[in-house]
């Protein structure tokens, strides 16, 4: 199985400041179509997950442009340019290149 | 507008079989580019992918649970059913179904909590 390792586990943030979450995969997620099969989800408190980023760096419909995804080999980063209070929750990365599709353990973002 | 809703029992005895139904609207599960997946989340824990069925009948399963899972679709009823056999207390979780297109789960149901206990 491809293991997804996120860091940090917990991230206190200040509104208006930038934040980043790391996700490392145990194997390459690069498909032969040139895309990395890596997705980012945010699960706000008491809610179902919602997609933020797919194929490594594509922002999903309706997602604010303060969210961006980047890739360097097997290291993936979710960046928030300016954190807002509504961004609190648990962030998950997920790979869908290889069965079983696997999630990271989550990064809990909370306001300082 | 795409919506999905999970339904099924909230309490199941150990060793019994769980049947969950995902009833959806706003899309058709008849083409290969569209799929519905099941993901679960034990209380306070991370998400775990279970299975996905595509509109062209292609089915994907988590290998560790493959012997216990069956996913089926009924496009005419706009439903996807997940069956899990031989339940154990460790299967206690919130079970989500979600619409998948363009390599992401873009719409999710509200989830249904299933408790396995005698």
């Amino acid at each position: 199985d491809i293991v997804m390792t996120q860091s940090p586990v917990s991230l206190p943030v200040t509104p208006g400041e930038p934040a980043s979450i790391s996700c490392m995969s145990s194997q390459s997620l690069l498909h032969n179509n040139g895309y990395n099969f890596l997705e980012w989800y945010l699960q706000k408190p008491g809610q179902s997950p919602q997609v933020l980023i797919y194929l490594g760096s594509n922002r999903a419909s309706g997602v604010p442009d303060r969210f961006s995804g980047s890739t360097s080999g097997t290291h993936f980063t979710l960046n928030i340019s300016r954190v807002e209070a509504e961004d609190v929750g648990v962030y998950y990365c997920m790979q869908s290149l290889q069965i079983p599709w696997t999630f990271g353990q989550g990064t809990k973002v909370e306001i300082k | 507008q795409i919506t999905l809703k999970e339904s099924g029992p909230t309490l199941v005895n150990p060793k019994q079989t769980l049947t969950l139904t995902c009833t959806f609207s706003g899309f058709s599960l008849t083409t290969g580019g569209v799929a519905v997946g099941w993901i679960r989340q034990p209380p306070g824990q991370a998400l775990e992918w279970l299975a996905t069925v595509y509109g062209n009948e292609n089915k994907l399963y988590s290998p560790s649970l493959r012997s216990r899972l069956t996913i089926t679709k009924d496009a005419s009823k706009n439903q996807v059913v997940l069956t899990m056999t031989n339940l154990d207390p460790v299967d206690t979780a919130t079970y989500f179904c979600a619409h998948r297109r363009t390599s992401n789960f873009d719409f999710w149901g509200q989830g249904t909590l299933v408790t396995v206990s005698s």
Side-chain angles (χ1 to χ4, degrees), chain A residues 37 39 41 43 48-49 51 54-55 92 94 96 99-101 103-105, chain B residues 41 45 47 49 52 54 60-61 63 96 100 102-105 108-110:
Chain A
F37 277 51
E39 300 147 45
Y41 296 89
Q43 187 173 30
S48 303
V51 64
Y54 64 97
L55 296 176
Y92 294 96
M94 187 196 101
S96 57
I99 300 298
W101 297 350
F103 288 89
Q105 79 277 22
Chain B
Q41 184 173 40
Q45 297 186 40
L47 301 165
W49 172 75
T52 296
Y54 287 83
L60 306 176
Y61 292 95
F96 298 97
R100 186 170 180 86
T102 322
S103 300
N104 71 96
F105 288 113
W108 293 63
Q110 64 190 26

Side-chain angles (χ1 to χ4, degrees), chain A residues 1 3 12 14 21 54 65 73 89 93-94 97 102 105-107 110:
Chain A
D1 297 4
V3 177
T14 301
I21 299 170
Y54 64 97
D65 60 8
C93 59
M94 187 196 101
L97 181 70
T102 46
Q105 79 277 22
T107 294
E110 49 197 5

Side-chain angles (χ1 to χ4, degrees), chain A:
Chain A
D1 297 4
I2 296 178
V3 177
M4 307 298 290
T5 304
Q6 289 183 233
S7 61
V9 172
S10 178
L11 180 61
V13 297
T14 301
E17 295 294 309
S20 65
I21 299 170
S22 171
C23 173
M24 295 205 65
S25 59
S26 61
Q27 300 175 35
S28 172
L29 302 183
L30 186 62
H31 190 275
N32 55 22
N33 64 9
Y35 291 100
N36 282 284
F37 277 51
L38 187 282
E39 300 147 45
W40 287 98
Y41 296 89
L42 165 60
Q43 187 173 30
K44 296 182 178 181
Q47 296 186 20
S48 303
Q50 59 187 86
V51 64
L52 299 173
I53 302 289
Y54 64 97
L55 296 176
S57 59
N58 291 274
R59 197 179 304 114
S61 177
V63 174
D65 60 8
R66 64 179 182 274
F67 291 95
S68 63
S70 62
T71 301
S72 178
T74 58
H75 183 207
F76 302 88
T77 304
L78 177 71
N79 290 293
I80 310 174
S81 59
R82 292 174 304 280
V83 173
E84 297 190 3
E86 66 181 24
D87 299 337
V88 299
V90 182
Y91 290 75
Y92 294 96
C93 59
M94 187 196 101
Q95 68 81 21
S96 57
L97 181 70
Q98 186 181 108
I99 300 298
W101 297 350
T102 46
F103 288 89
Q105 79 277 22
T107 294
K108 186 174 184 178
V109 171
E110 49 197 5
I111 301 296
K112 283 183 182 175

Side-chain angles (χ1 to χ4, degrees), chain B residues 30-63:
Chain B
T30 55
T31 61
V34 178
V36 170
W38 285 94
I39 302 99
R40 70 178 178 180
Q41 184 173 40
Q45 297 186 40
L47 301 165
E48 179 186 15
W49 172 75
L50 302 176
T52 296
V53 60
Y54 287 83
N56 63 1
E57 297 287 357
N58 187 29
K59 299 174 183 179
L60 306 176
Y61 292 95
S62 174

Side-chain angles (χ1 to χ4, degrees), chain B residues 1 11 13 41 46 53 60 64 67 73 82 85 87 89 106:
Chain B
Q1 178 192 359
L11 180 64
N13 287 321
Q41 184 173 40
V53 60
L60 306 176
S64 65
S67 63
K73 72 177 183 77
L82 182 75
T85 62
L87 257 67
D106 52 359

